[in-house]
Amino acid sequence: MYNLVIYLYLWGVAVYSRFNEKVRKMWRGEREAFRILREKVDPEARYVWFHAASLGEFEQGRPLMEHLRREHPEYKILLTFFSPSGYEVRKNYEGADIICYLPLDTITNARRFLRTIRPEMAFFIKYEFWYNYLHILKHRGVPVYSVSSIFRPDQVFFKWYGRQYGRVLNCFTHFFVQNEQSRELLARIGITSVTVTGDTRFDRVLQIKEAARQLPVVEVFVAPPKVFVAGSSWPPDEEIFIRYFNEHRDWKLIIAPHVIGEDHLQQIERMLEGRKVVRYTQAEHNLKSQISNLKSSDVLIIDCFGLLSSIYHYGSVAYVGGGFGVGIHNLLEAAVWDVPVFFGPNNQKFQEAQGLKRSGGFEIGSYEDFERLMNRFAADAAYLQEQGRQAGHYVKSRSGATEIIISSVFSHL
């Protein structure tokens, strides 16, 4: 049944690729993967394979890849992606020797891929369970590790009708899971080779913090002490916090929207009633001539990518968007800077959101929620500082998963 579904999916992707640019990139990338492998694989090298579905999973795997590269240079690293949102952003990542899409999970593709690479071990990040690849890896005796994985009772593996597909979990040598609930769920179906390590993203955000950039444009803009940073915001998020700051003008506001398109940027500017707005690229182009403009502006709009993780450093309070849609973006990038973090209500599947609710994170479901909390922060500097300290401690206290995983893997080789 699984293989039938895969072939139907393959046919659907081929058809849909004619009408959707993202799907077309994925379709072409998967077909190009074998050419890339043919050109770049060193038959004498020892490969460790990391697979990440998309950009978020890549960030979870990155600390492992960099630790492995630093401590075990005898291995080369193959990195594969499923989604264009991962591959297109990180296809030039210098921490891997070969980067390509993972061809779809047919038996033929899996055999050909593994015959070409001959990996000595494989790491699948979080939710990746490729049935044919995993069964062939097990048949070949290749150690396979699931990293930063997290399981919930509603997943197919734990339903009566998912028992056959659930056998794919027996292909893993070891699971390094995020929480105790995941360990207990796996134990119920007889899987006990499990270690609760937490999430490698905590290690990654600490790395990001250490490598944060100094941003002269932002430093000029934030001269007053009260700064609110909204990262990866969507229109439902913006409707809430912009309304507040239109009424409370003693704060400076930095907005880094998730979608950076001219229509969206103009929409944000129209919402900012009477506020003096400057765009980051406008100021960066000629900073000397823009210093006075920056200092007198109320709002800085980040109209480029790649700066957000460093920008959170300049905030007194942060807001991470997406919680009124498909789900919140990266809360940890904000919390690591010792600032309290707001986020929307769609966060039940995000363990870090549940943890931060007890440690400097605040779920809001309406403008009234946001207004009440912001008014308290504005009136009580000690409370604001303590909530920020708790958020930062939440991140720092959960680091170390990378070291545990690498030590465990290599102690058994």
Side-chain angles (χ1 to χ4, degrees):
M1 178 62 73
Y2 176 83
N3 287 317
L4 175 60
V5 171
I6 286 294
Y7 281 108
L8 289 173
Y9 177 81
L10 185 63
W11 177 82
V13 168
V15 172
Y16 194 45
S17 67
R18 297 174 179 269
F19 310 101
N20 184 284
E21 178 62 23
K22 182 177 179 179
V23 175
R24 184 157 53 249
K25 286 181 179 179
M26 182 176 70
W27 172 247
R28 290 174 178 170
E30 289 179 358
R31 296 171 72 186
E32 284 285 296
F34 286 114
R35 179 191 62 77
I36 293 172
L37 295 176
R38 193 166 55 247
E39 292 176 357
K40 294 189 175 183
V41 167
D42 177 356
E44 304 300 321
R46 304 171 65 189
Y47 283 98
V48 177
W49 172 27
F50 286 84
H51 177 65
S54 191
L55 190 59
E57 290 77 13
F58 164 80
E59 291 296 330
Q60 289 174 295
R62 183 169 178 168
L64 292 166
M65 287 184 276
E66 295 180 355
H67 193 290
L68 182 70
R69 202 169 188 82
R70 183 174 63 253
E71 301 296 329
H72 296 278
E74 66 271 23
Y75 293 102
K76 288 194 172 184
I77 293 174
L78 165 69
L79 170 62
T80 59
F81 288 98
F82 174 70
S83 168
S85 60
Y87 177 79
E88 296 299 329
V89 175
R90 294 302 182 192
K91 60 186 175 183
N92 296 317
Y93 170 58
E94 295 181 353
D97 298 282
I98 304 173
I99 304 173
C100 64
Y101 282 91
L102 182 61
L104 204 62
D105 191 24
T106 66
I107 295 175
T108 300
N109 281 347
R111 286 174 175 165
R112 184 182 175 189
F113 180 91
L114 294 171
R115 192 184 306 123
T116 302
I117 293 297
R118 296 175 293 105
E120 295 199 10
M121 66 186 84
F123 292 84
F124 284 66
I125 312 300
K126 199 174 182 179
Y127 290 134
E128 292 302 278
F129 308 104
W130 292 59
Y131 193 89
N132 290 315
Y133 281 98
L134 286 165
H135 276 86
I136 296 171
L137 283 165
K138 182 178 180 181
H139 178 74
R140 294 185 174 202
V142 178
V144 183
Y145 305 98
S146 178
V147 174
S148 291
S149 45
I150 187 166
F151 293 92
R152 300 183 305 276
D154 60 351
Q155 287 175 302
V156 66
F157 312 113
F158 311 110
K159 304 294 186 181
W160 64 266
Y161 53 80
R163 289 174 185 167
Q164 182 174 0
Y165 178 70
R167 294 173 186 166
V168 71
L169 300 180
N170 293 311
C171 295
F172 286 94
T173 306
H174 200 89
F175 288 85
F176 297 98
V177 299
Q178 292 190 32
N179 57 23
E180 183 63 25
Q181 182 192 46
S182 297
R183 187 196 65 77
E184 292 173 356
L185 286 168
L186 291 171
R188 288 182 198 172
I189 58 174
I191 295 174
T192 57
S193 187
V194 181
T195 303
V196 179
T197 59
D199 192 343
T200 52
R201 282 187 304 163
F202 290 94
D203 299 326
R204 177 59 188 148
V205 295
L206 287 168
Q207 288 179 342
I208 292 172
K209 181 180 180 182
E210 289 298 315
R213 297 165 56 182
Q214 295 295 114
L215 302 172
V217 169
V218 182
E219 290 176 357
V220 172
F221 172 78
V222 300
K226 294 167 65 175
V227 180
F228 185 91
V229 177
S232 301
S233 63
W234 293 81
D237 306 304
E238 291 149 8
E239 289 172 6
I240 289 176
F241 66 75
I242 288 178
R243 175 182 169 185
Y244 181 86
F245 291 108
N246 279 341
E247 299 172 4
H248 298 79
R249 303 199 172 209
D250 51 339
W251 288 75
K252 285 212 166 187
L253 176 60
I254 301 177
I255 306 174
H258 183 74
V259 176
I260 298 177
E262 188 58 32
D263 288 346
H264 188 203
L265 296 177
Q266 289 185 17
Q267 178 186 14
I268 292 172
E269 289 170 344
R270 286 193 297 270
M271 294 170 68
L272 292 159
E273 301 168 358
R275 305 304 300 266
K276 186 175 180 182
V277 180
V278 63
R279 296 190 186 184
Y280 184 90
T281 56
Q282 168 194 342
E284 184 186 39
H285 181 68
N286 192 344
L287 180 56
K288 287 184 179 180
S289 67
Q290 290 290 326
I291 288 177
S292 176
N293 187 35
L294 278 167
K295 287 182 175 180
S296 62
S297 293
D298 305 307
V299 183
L300 176 64
I301 296 179
I302 310 302
D303 56 343
C304 56
F305 293 106
L307 304 180
L308 182 56
S309 60
S310 296
I311 287 172
Y312 283 126
H313 168 51
Y314 298 97
S316 310
V317 181
Y319 183 110
V320 177
F324 288 90
V326 295
I328 47 175
H329 296 288
N330 195 334
L331 294 174
L332 302 180
E333 282 188 347
V336 74
W337 289 106
D338 299 326
V339 295
V341 185
F342 288 101
F343 46 88
N346 189 3
N347 59 65
Q348 290 73 26
K349 293 183 179 180
F350 298 84
Q351 182 171 274
E352 66 274 21
Q354 307 314 307
L356 280 168
K357 286 179 187 179
R358 300 183 292 274
S359 303
F362 299 87
E363 176 187 312
I364 60 162
S366 65
Y367 173 78
E368 288 70 26
D369 292 341
F370 184 79
E371 180 183 41
R372 174 177 51 82
L373 287 163
M374 281 300 300
N375 285 345
R376 181 169 183 186
F377 284 144
D380 190 342
Y383 178 71
L384 188 156
Q385 185 177 19
E386 173 58 20
Q387 294 304 312
R389 186 198 65 78
Q390 289 188 28
H393 177 72
Y394 174 79
V395 178
K396 299 177 186 72
S397 65
R398 285 159 177 77
S399 63
T402 300
E403 182 65 41
I404 296 171
I405 294 167
I406 293 293
S407 297
S408 177
V409 167
F410 281 89
S411 68
H412 290 90
L413 291 181

